[in-house]
Amino acid sequence: MLDKLLTLTRDPLLGVYVLRSKLSPVGLIDRLSRLTTAAGIAKPRFLLSFDCDTDLDIEVVEAVHAELGRRGVRPVYAVPGELLERGREVYGRIASTGAEFMNHGWAEHTRLDRATGIYDSFLFYDRQSRAWVAEDIRRGHQSVSEIAGRAPAGFRTPHFGSFQKHDELVFLHGELKKHGYRYSTSTVPFWGLRYGPVFDHLGIREVPVSGTFDRPLDILDTWTHRCLGEHGGEAGYTRQYESYRDYMTNNRPLLVNVYGDPSQVHDWPGFFDAVGLLAPWAVSSYAEALDGTA
Ligand SMILES: [Zn+2]
């Protein structure tokens, strides 16, 4: 993982952060809190977003959306255009509840084998030509505008961890700027620890996804905890939310930007309980999450 991150970020300071996350993870959370204040966010905020990459998401997402709504959380959605078009009625109804849809590219990039539960990931932006990526963004923009009924305000690159090099992100942000986007949320937690929960030196505002409380460099996601059973599995997932809740209860500023997949949580009651712990600080759009930032 470290080697991969080094290649991706080419940041010589990564090693320092790896060491700090081992010696004092809460020290890094404190750093994030200071950077959150510096970015203009004075209070804790929690934002949940869902990547809906498979047909199973289409089947379960409305129930997931409704259950979260009962707990005071309205997620933001990232759905590839091809899947939006296949699930247009479902996603149209979710958009009509006011939910934000960001652009997640057009082409399908993950397939789920339901018999084995294995997710097959393909179509990585770093293996495509720049022209192909620009066209995928353009088509994704069209799909969201048509099916959600509103033009997207932001973007998430397919597959976290790919397309993270400086020149790739500068290219990406340049394309997003052409569409008038206000944000991208395409980067791994290291970027947040390095530059803050929102930063704009790549072009437009970038909002990295959050890490776990115990290991701030590792993405807090449903895939690692639920599907792989790593980092303490489901119980470990809940513990991260408890730690964030305890930290935020003291009103210390943080922007917790968590993502998951509906297909991985629809039959996991503990997920809804965990997310509910942060409901008092929930915001339901990136515009709200970034309110007050320069
Ligand atoms: Zn995706």
Side-chain angles (χ1 to χ4, degrees), residues 120-159:
D120 177 25
S121 297
F122 50 94
L123 272 184
F124 293 82
Y125 272 17
D126 58 334
R127 299 176 202 165
Q128 309 297 324
S129 72
R130 296 282 161 98
W132 189 95
V133 170
E135 178 63 7
D136 196 57
I137 293 169
R138 191 192 65 75
R139 291 185 75 182
H141 180 87
Q142 276 184 333
S143 286
V144 173
S145 303
E146 182 204 332
I147 292 157
R150 292 180 293 276
F155 182 84
R156 170 169 295 150
T157 305
H159 310 306

mmCIF file of all heavy atoms in Angstrom, residues 120-159:
data_model
loop_
_atom_site.group_PDB
_atom_site.id
_atom_site.type_symbol
_atom_site.label_atom_id
_atom_site.label_comp_id
_atom_site.label_asym_id
_atom_site.label_seq_id
_atom_site.Cartn_x
_atom_site.Cartn_y
_atom_site.Cartn_z
ATOM 1 N N ASP A 120 -15.627 -6.740 -9.890
ATOM 2 C CA ASP A 120 -14.573 -6.663 -10.905
ATOM 3 C C ASP A 120 -14.455 -5.202 -11.347
ATOM 4 O O ASP A 120 -15.409 -4.637 -11.883
ATOM 5 C CB ASP A 120 -14.972 -7.577 -12.081
ATOM 6 C CG ASP A 120 -13.964 -7.508 -13.205
ATOM 7 O OD1 ASP A 120 -12.791 -7.177 -12.936
ATOM 8 O OD2 ASP A 120 -14.361 -7.761 -14.369
ATOM 9 N N SER A 121 -13.312 -4.586 -11.090
ATOM 10 C CA SER A 121 -13.107 -3.176 -11.432
ATOM 11 C C SER A 121 -12.370 -3.055 -12.757
ATOM 12 O O SER A 121 -11.396 -3.760 -13.002
ATOM 13 C CB SER A 121 -12.263 -2.489 -10.358
ATOM 14 O OG SER A 121 -12.939 -2.509 -9.130
ATOM 15 N N PHE A 122 -12.851 -2.159 -13.611
ATOM 16 C CA PHE A 122 -12.162 -1.942 -14.890
ATOM 17 C C PHE A 122 -12.329 -0.489 -15.299
ATOM 18 O O PHE A 122 -12.973 0.287 -14.578
ATOM 19 C CB PHE A 122 -12.698 -2.911 -15.973
ATOM 20 C CG PHE A 122 -14.195 -2.939 -16.077
ATOM 21 C CD1 PHE A 122 -14.859 -2.136 -16.986
ATOM 22 C CD2 PHE A 122 -14.948 -3.773 -15.241
ATOM 23 C CE1 PHE A 122 -16.244 -2.160 -17.072
ATOM 24 C CE2 PHE A 122 -16.331 -3.802 -15.329
ATOM 25 C CZ PHE A 122 -16.987 -2.996 -16.237
ATOM 26 N N LEU A 123 -11.768 -0.117 -16.419
ATOM 27 C CA LEU A 123 -11.816 1.254 -16.932
ATOM 28 C C LEU A 123 -11.248 2.277 -15.955
ATOM 29 O O LEU A 123 -11.960 3.106 -15.386
ATOM 30 C CB LEU A 123 -13.245 1.651 -17.316
ATOM 31 C CG LEU A 123 -13.672 1.310 -18.741
ATOM 32 C CD1 LEU A 123 -15.062 1.842 -19.027
ATOM 33 C CD2 LEU A 123 -12.680 1.855 -19.764
ATOM 34 N N PHE A 124 -9.967 2.186 -15.743
ATOM 35 C CA PHE A 124 -9.277 3.143 -14.882
ATOM 36 C C PHE A 124 -8.847 4.349 -15.721
ATOM 37 O O PHE A 124 -8.283 4.176 -16.806
ATOM 38 C CB PHE A 124 -8.056 2.484 -14.240
ATOM 39 C CG PHE A 124 -8.414 1.395 -13.257
ATOM 40 C CD1 PHE A 124 -8.722 0.106 -13.684
ATOM 41 C CD2 PHE A 124 -8.468 1.673 -11.901
ATOM 42 C CE1 PHE A 124 -9.070 -0.890 -12.782
ATOM 43 C CE2 PHE A 124 -8.813 0.688 -10.990
ATOM 44 C CZ PHE A 124 -9.112 -0.594 -11.427
ATOM 45 N N TYR A 125 -9.093 5.528 -15.218
ATOM 46 C CA TYR A 125 -8.778 6.738 -15.997
ATOM 47 C C TYR A 125 -7.285 6.841 -16.339
ATOM 48 O O TYR A 125 -6.927 7.374 -17.389
ATOM 49 C CB TYR A 125 -9.209 7.990 -15.218
ATOM 50 C CG TYR A 125 -10.646 8.420 -15.459
ATOM 51 C CD1 TYR A 125 -11.590 7.563 -16.024
ATOM 52 C CD2 TYR A 125 -11.060 9.710 -15.116
ATOM 53 C CE1 TYR A 125 -12.900 7.966 -16.226
ATOM 54 C CE2 TYR A 125 -12.375 10.125 -15.326
ATOM 55 C CZ TYR A 125 -13.292 9.246 -15.883
ATOM 56 O OH TYR A 125 -14.592 9.661 -16.079
ATOM 57 N N ASP A 126 -6.430 6.345 -15.457
ATOM 58 C CA ASP A 126 -4.989 6.496 -15.734
ATOM 59 C C ASP A 126 -4.529 5.588 -16.872
ATOM 60 O O ASP A 126 -3.392 5.707 -17.338
ATOM 61 C CB ASP A 126 -4.151 6.263 -14.469
ATOM 62 C CG ASP A 126 -4.379 4.895 -13.842
ATOM 63 O OD1 ASP A 126 -5.473 4.308 -14.034
ATOM 64 O OD2 ASP A 126 -3.456 4.400 -13.170
ATOM 65 N N ARG A 127 -5.402 4.678 -17.326
ATOM 66 C CA ARG A 127 -5.028 3.799 -18.452
ATOM 67 C C ARG A 127 -5.729 4.212 -19.741
ATOM 68 O O ARG A 127 -5.639 3.510 -20.751
ATOM 69 C CB ARG A 127 -5.378 2.348 -18.119
ATOM 70 C CG ARG A 127 -4.619 1.858 -16.897
ATOM 71 C CD ARG A 127 -5.035 0.452 -16.517
ATOM 72 N NE ARG A 127 -4.717 0.188 -15.122
ATOM 73 C CZ ARG A 127 -5.212 -0.827 -14.417
ATOM 74 N NH1 ARG A 127 -6.033 -1.683 -14.993
ATOM 75 N NH2 ARG A 127 -4.881 -0.990 -13.150
ATOM 76 N N GLN A 128 -6.474 5.320 -19.696
ATOM 77 C CA GLN A 128 -7.171 5.810 -20.894
ATOM 78 C C GLN A 128 -6.468 7.077 -21.399
ATOM 79 O O GLN A 128 -5.731 7.718 -20.655
ATOM 80 C CB GLN A 128 -8.629 6.155 -20.555
ATOM 81 C CG GLN A 128 -9.389 5.053 -19.838
ATOM 82 C CD GLN A 128 -9.535 3.795 -20.671
ATOM 83 O OE1 GLN A 128 -9.706 3.870 -21.882
ATOM 84 N NE2 GLN A 128 -9.447 2.648 -20.032
ATOM 85 N N SER A 129 -6.765 7.429 -22.651
ATOM 86 C CA SER A 129 -6.198 8.677 -23.178
ATOM 87 C C SER A 129 -6.912 9.859 -22.530
ATOM 88 O O SER A 129 -8.036 9.732 -22.038
ATOM 89 C CB SER A 129 -6.363 8.735 -24.695
ATOM 90 O OG SER A 129 -7.736 8.955 -25.009
ATOM 91 N N ARG A 130 -6.246 10.995 -22.541
ATOM 92 C CA ARG A 130 -6.866 12.201 -21.969
ATOM 93 C C ARG A 130 -8.158 12.557 -22.734
ATOM 94 O O ARG A 130 -9.130 13.009 -22.138
ATOM 95 C CB ARG A 130 -5.878 13.369 -22.017
ATOM 96 C CG ARG A 130 -4.628 13.145 -21.146
ATOM 97 C CD ARG A 130 -4.928 13.394 -19.695
ATOM 98 N NE ARG A 130 -3.965 12.798 -18.792
ATOM 99 C CZ ARG A 130 -2.941 13.436 -18.224
ATOM 100 N NH1 ARG A 130 -2.724 14.705 -18.509
ATOM 101 N NH2 ARG A 130 -2.126 12.821 -17.392
ATOM 102 N N ALA A 131 -8.143 12.341 -24.050
ATOM 103 C CA ALA A 131 -9.345 12.648 -24.840
ATOM 104 C C ALA A 131 -10.504 11.746 -24.410
ATOM 105 O O ALA A 131 -11.654 12.187 -24.316
ATOM 106 C CB ALA A 131 -9.048 12.459 -26.329
ATOM 107 N N TRP A 132 -10.192 10.488 -24.136
ATOM 108 C CA TRP A 132 -11.238 9.547 -23.698
ATOM 109 C C TRP A 132 -11.822 10.001 -22.359
ATOM 110 O O TRP A 132 -13.039 10.004 -22.157
ATOM 111 C CB TRP A 132 -10.647 8.132 -23.568
ATOM 112 C CG TRP A 132 -11.684 7.063 -23.340
ATOM 113 C CD1 TRP A 132 -12.269 6.279 -24.280
ATOM 114 C CD2 TRP A 132 -12.284 6.694 -22.080
ATOM 115 N NE1 TRP A 132 -13.188 5.434 -23.693
ATOM 116 C CE2 TRP A 132 -13.228 5.666 -22.351
ATOM 117 C CE3 TRP A 132 -12.116 7.130 -20.766
ATOM 118 C CZ2 TRP A 132 -13.996 5.071 -21.348
ATOM 119 C CZ3 TRP A 132 -12.887 6.545 -19.768
ATOM 120 C CH2 TRP A 132 -13.815 5.525 -20.054
ATOM 121 N N VAL A 133 -10.950 10.399 -21.438
ATOM 122 C CA VAL A 133 -11.404 10.845 -20.118
ATOM 123 C C VAL A 133 -12.294 12.082 -20.257
ATOM 124 O O VAL A 133 -13.371 12.164 -19.652
ATOM 125 C CB VAL A 133 -10.186 11.141 -19.197
ATOM 126 C CG1 VAL A 133 -10.626 11.843 -17.916
ATOM 127 C CG2 VAL A 133 -9.450 9.844 -18.868
ATOM 128 N N ALA A 134 -11.853 13.034 -21.085
ATOM 129 C CA ALA A 134 -12.642 14.265 -21.268
ATOM 130 C C ALA A 134 -14.037 13.937 -21.803
ATOM 131 O O ALA A 134 -15.033 14.513 -21.375
ATOM 132 C CB ALA A 134 -11.903 15.217 -22.217
ATOM 133 N N GLU A 135 -14.094 12.978 -22.736
ATOM 134 C CA GLU A 135 -15.377 12.596 -23.319
ATOM 135 C C GLU A 135 -16.255 11.862 -22.291
ATOM 136 O O GLU A 135 -17.478 12.054 -22.251
ATOM 137 C CB GLU A 135 -15.130 11.707 -24.549
ATOM 138 C CG GLU A 135 -16.369 11.188 -25.250
ATOM 139 C CD GLU A 135 -17.259 12.286 -25.846
ATOM 140 O OE1 GLU A 135 -16.864 13.472 -25.843
ATOM 141 O OE2 GLU A 135 -18.377 11.944 -26.304
ATOM 142 N N ASP A 136 -15.626 11.041 -21.453
ATOM 143 C CA ASP A 136 -16.386 10.328 -20.412
ATOM 144 C C ASP A 136 -16.995 11.328 -19.419
ATOM 145 O O ASP A 136 -18.131 11.156 -18.976
ATOM 146 C CB ASP A 136 -15.457 9.347 -19.680
ATOM 147 C CG ASP A 136 -16.232 8.316 -18.866
ATOM 148 O OD1 ASP A 136 -17.074 7.602 -19.462
ATOM 149 O OD2 ASP A 136 -16.007 8.230 -17.641
ATOM 150 N N ILE A 137 -16.241 12.370 -19.110
ATOM 151 C CA ILE A 137 -16.749 13.405 -18.199
ATOM 152 C C ILE A 137 -17.914 14.145 -18.868
ATOM 153 O O ILE A 137 -18.950 14.400 -18.249
ATOM 154 C CB ILE A 137 -15.613 14.391 -17.819
ATOM 155 C CG1 ILE A 137 -14.550 13.676 -16.978
ATOM 156 C CG2 ILE A 137 -16.169 15.614 -17.081
ATOM 157 C CD1 ILE A 137 -13.268 14.472 -16.771
ATOM 158 N N ARG A 138 -17.755 14.456 -20.146
ATOM 159 C CA ARG A 138 -18.802 15.190 -20.858
ATOM 160 C C ARG A 138 -20.097 14.376 -20.922
ATOM 161 O O ARG A 138 -21.187 14.886 -20.647
ATOM 162 C CB ARG A 138 -18.329 15.526 -22.283
ATOM 163 C CG ARG A 138 -19.226 16.503 -23.032
ATOM 164 C CD ARG A 138 -18.875 16.563 -24.525
ATOM 165 N NE ARG A 138 -19.132 15.296 -25.219
ATOM 166 C CZ ARG A 138 -20.339 14.852 -25.559
ATOM 167 N NH1 ARG A 138 -21.413 15.569 -25.292
ATOM 168 N NH2 ARG A 138 -20.491 13.687 -26.185
ATOM 169 N N ARG A 139 -19.970 13.095 -21.229
ATOM 170 C CA ARG A 139 -21.173 12.258 -21.318
ATOM 171 C C ARG A 139 -21.802 12.035 -19.949
ATOM 172 O O ARG A 139 -23.028 11.976 -19.812
ATOM 173 C CB ARG A 139 -20.840 10.907 -21.970
ATOM 174 C CG ARG A 139 -20.505 11.042 -23.438
ATOM 175 C CD ARG A 139 -20.296 9.680 -24.075
ATOM 176 N NE ARG A 139 -21.556 8.968 -24.304
ATOM 177 C CZ ARG A 139 -21.631 7.744 -24.807
ATOM 178 N NH1 ARG A 139 -20.525 7.092 -25.127
ATOM 179 N NH2 ARG A 139 -22.790 7.165 -24.991
ATOM 180 N N GLY A 140 -20.971 11.909 -18.917
ATOM 181 C CA GLY A 140 -21.487 11.760 -17.555
ATOM 182 C C GLY A 140 -22.267 13.002 -17.150
ATOM 183 O O GLY A 140 -23.331 12.907 -16.524
ATOM 184 N N HIS A 141 -21.759 14.149 -17.540
ATOM 185 C CA HIS A 141 -22.438 15.420 -17.236
ATOM 186 C C HIS A 141 -23.838 15.442 -17.866
ATOM 187 O O HIS A 141 -24.816 15.811 -17.210
ATOM 188 C CB HIS A 141 -21.591 16.583 -17.771
ATOM 189 C CG HIS A 141 -22.197 17.935 -17.512
ATOM 190 N ND1 HIS A 141 -21.978 18.624 -16.338
ATOM 191 C CD2 HIS A 141 -23.021 18.706 -18.253
ATOM 192 C CE1 HIS A 141 -22.655 19.771 -16.374
ATOM 193 N NE2 HIS A 141 -23.285 19.848 -17.531
ATOM 194 N N GLN A 142 -23.904 15.001 -19.092
ATOM 195 C CA GLN A 142 -25.197 14.977 -19.807
ATOM 196 C C GLN A 142 -26.194 14.050 -19.119
ATOM 197 O O GLN A 142 -27.361 14.394 -18.936
ATOM 198 C CB GLN A 142 -24.987 14.473 -21.236
ATOM 199 C CG GLN A 142 -24.562 15.566 -22.192
ATOM 200 C CD GLN A 142 -24.469 15.033 -23.620
ATOM 201 O OE1 GLN A 142 -24.228 13.845 -23.834
ATOM 202 N NE2 GLN A 142 -24.629 15.920 -24.589
ATOM 203 N N SER A 143 -25.727 12.859 -18.726
ATOM 204 C CA SER A 143 -26.620 11.885 -18.092
ATOM 205 C C SER A 143 -27.188 12.414 -16.793
ATOM 206 O O SER A 143 -28.381 12.276 -16.522
ATOM 207 C CB SER A 143 -25.878 10.568 -17.803
ATOM 208 O OG SER A 143 -25.679 9.871 -18.984
ATOM 209 N N VAL A 144 -26.318 12.980 -15.949
ATOM 210 C CA VAL A 144 -26.804 13.508 -14.662
ATOM 211 C C VAL A 144 -27.810 14.631 -14.912
ATOM 212 O O VAL A 144 -28.881 14.671 -14.290
ATOM 213 C CB VAL A 144 -25.633 14.016 -13.785
ATOM 214 C CG1 VAL A 144 -26.169 14.704 -12.528
ATOM 215 C CG2 VAL A 144 -24.724 12.863 -13.393
ATOM 216 N N SER A 145 -27.465 15.544 -15.833
ATOM 217 C CA SER A 145 -28.349 16.689 -16.098
ATOM 218 C C SER A 145 -29.731 16.197 -16.515
ATOM 219 O O SER A 145 -30.754 16.714 -16.072
ATOM 220 C CB SER A 145 -27.767 17.577 -17.205
ATOM 221 O OG SER A 145 -26.480 18.010 -16.843
ATOM 222 N N GLU A 146 -29.738 15.169 -17.371
ATOM 223 C CA GLU A 146 -31.009 14.681 -17.909
ATOM 224 C C GLU A 146 -31.804 13.909 -16.852
ATOM 225 O O GLU A 146 -32.995 14.138 -16.659
ATOM 226 C CB GLU A 146 -30.708 13.763 -19.106
ATOM 227 C CG GLU A 146 -31.948 13.230 -19.789
ATOM 228 C CD GLU A 146 -31.669 11.931 -20.547
ATOM 229 O OE1 GLU A 146 -30.511 11.741 -20.991
ATOM 230 O OE2 GLU A 146 -32.592 11.118 -20.656
ATOM 231 N N ILE A 147 -31.154 12.996 -16.144
ATOM 232 C CA ILE A 147 -31.893 12.071 -15.279
ATOM 233 C C ILE A 147 -32.156 12.656 -13.888
ATOM 234 O O ILE A 147 -33.228 12.462 -13.324
ATOM 235 C CB ILE A 147 -31.176 10.711 -15.223
ATOM 236 C CG1 ILE A 147 -31.297 10.073 -16.607
ATOM 237 C CG2 ILE A 147 -31.764 9.800 -14.148
ATOM 238 C CD1 ILE A 147 -30.268 9.061 -16.941
ATOM 239 N N ALA A 148 -31.180 13.397 -13.350
ATOM 240 C CA ALA A 148 -31.407 14.025 -12.037
ATOM 241 C C ALA A 148 -32.169 15.339 -12.191
ATOM 242 O O ALA A 148 -32.683 15.873 -11.222
ATOM 243 C CB ALA A 148 -30.085 14.251 -11.320
ATOM 244 N N GLY A 149 -32.181 15.869 -13.422
ATOM 245 C CA GLY A 149 -32.937 17.099 -13.658
ATOM 246 C C GLY A 149 -32.178 18.360 -13.264
ATOM 247 O O GLY A 149 -32.724 19.464 -13.335
ATOM 248 N N ARG A 150 -30.934 18.208 -12.830
ATOM 249 C CA ARG A 150 -30.093 19.355 -12.481
ATOM 250 C C ARG A 150 -28.673 19.054 -12.940
ATOM 251 O O ARG A 150 -28.208 17.910 -12.819
ATOM 252 C CB ARG A 150 -30.048 19.580 -10.957
ATOM 253 C CG ARG A 150 -31.342 20.030 -10.330
ATOM 254 C CD ARG A 150 -31.175 20.221 -8.817
ATOM 255 N NE ARG A 150 -30.941 18.968 -8.112
ATOM 256 C CZ ARG A 150 -31.910 18.140 -7.717
ATOM 257 N NH1 ARG A 150 -33.163 18.427 -7.976
ATOM 258 N NH2 ARG A 150 -31.626 17.027 -7.080
ATOM 259 N N ALA A 151 -27.978 20.072 -13.441
ATOM 260 C CA ALA A 151 -26.583 19.859 -13.842
ATOM 261 C C ALA A 151 -25.752 19.575 -12.590
ATOM 262 O O ALA A 151 -25.982 20.188 -11.549
ATOM 263 C CB ALA A 151 -26.044 21.090 -14.551
ATOM 264 N N PRO A 152 -24.827 18.616 -12.673
ATOM 265 C CA PRO A 152 -23.990 18.331 -11.505
ATOM 266 C C PRO A 152 -23.066 19.505 -11.176
ATOM 267 O O PRO A 152 -22.666 20.249 -12.071
ATOM 268 C CB PRO A 152 -23.182 17.103 -11.933
ATOM 269 C CG PRO A 152 -23.220 17.109 -13.430
ATOM 270 C CD PRO A 152 -24.493 17.783 -13.828
ATOM 271 N N ALA A 153 -22.732 19.625 -9.884
ATOM 272 C CA ALA A 153 -21.831 20.697 -9.444
ATOM 273 C C ALA A 153 -20.443 20.171 -9.148
ATOM 274 O O ALA A 153 -19.527 20.944 -8.872
ATOM 275 C CB ALA A 153 -22.402 21.366 -8.192
ATOM 276 N N GLY A 154 -20.288 18.836 -9.186
ATOM 277 C CA GLY A 154 -18.993 18.259 -8.839
ATOM 278 C C GLY A 154 -18.792 16.900 -9.470
ATOM 279 O O GLY A 154 -19.664 16.384 -10.182
ATOM 280 N N PHE A 155 -17.646 16.315 -9.160
ATOM 281 C CA PHE A 155 -17.218 15.109 -9.862
ATOM 282 C C PHE A 155 -16.440 14.193 -8.928
ATOM 283 O O PHE A 155 -15.727 14.656 -8.032
ATOM 284 C CB PHE A 155 -16.318 15.511 -11.033
ATOM 285 C CG PHE A 155 -15.837 14.365 -11.870
ATOM 286 C CD1 PHE A 155 -16.638 13.851 -12.886
ATOM 287 C CD2 PHE A 155 -14.592 13.798 -11.646
ATOM 288 C CE1 PHE A 155 -16.209 12.775 -13.659
ATOM 289 C CE2 PHE A 155 -14.147 12.725 -12.419
ATOM 290 C CZ PHE A 155 -14.954 12.227 -13.429
ATOM 291 N N ARG A 156 -16.574 12.887 -9.176
ATOM 292 C CA ARG A 156 -15.687 11.902 -8.538
ATOM 293 C C ARG A 156 -15.151 10.956 -9.589
ATOM 294 O O ARG A 156 -15.908 10.337 -10.346
ATOM 295 C CB ARG A 156 -16.431 11.105 -7.463
ATOM 296 C CG ARG A 156 -15.598 9.916 -6.959
ATOM 297 C CD ARG A 156 -16.193 9.272 -5.723
ATOM 298 N NE ARG A 156 -16.168 10.205 -4.625
ATOM 299 C CZ ARG A 156 -17.079 10.216 -3.633
ATOM 300 N NH1 ARG A 156 -18.053 9.349 -3.632
ATOM 301 N NH2 ARG A 156 -16.979 11.088 -2.660
ATOM 302 N N THR A 157 -13.837 10.819 -9.634
ATOM 303 C CA THR A 157 -13.195 9.890 -10.566
ATOM 304 C C THR A 157 -13.573 8.453 -10.207
ATOM 305 O O THR A 157 -13.620 8.108 -9.033
ATOM 306 C CB THR A 157 -11.658 10.014 -10.442
ATOM 307 O OG1 THR A 157 -11.283 11.371 -10.641
ATOM 308 C CG2 THR A 157 -10.958 9.153 -11.465
ATOM 309 N N PRO A 158 -13.843 7.621 -11.201
ATOM 310 C CA PRO A 158 -14.029 6.192 -10.917
ATOM 311 C C PRO A 158 -12.789 5.611 -10.236
ATOM 312 O O PRO A 158 -11.659 5.974 -10.612
ATOM 313 C CB PRO A 158 -14.193 5.580 -12.312
ATOM 314 C CG PRO A 158 -14.644 6.710 -13.183
ATOM 315 C CD PRO A 158 -14.013 7.943 -12.606
ATOM 316 N N HIS A 159 -12.989 4.770 -9.246
ATOM 317 C CA HIS A 159 -11.914 4.039 -8.552
ATOM 318 C C HIS A 159 -10.942 4.951 -7.803
ATOM 319 O O HIS A 159 -10.039 5.536 -8.398
ATOM 320 C CB HIS A 159 -11.105 3.163 -9.533
ATOM 321 C CG HIS A 159 -11.941 2.297 -10.410
ATOM 322 N ND1 HIS A 159 -12.881 1.426 -9.904
ATOM 323 C CD2 HIS A 159 -12.000 2.161 -11.757
ATOM 324 C CE1 HIS A 159 -13.458 0.791 -10.900
ATOM 325 N NE2 HIS A 159 -12.964 1.230 -12.037
#
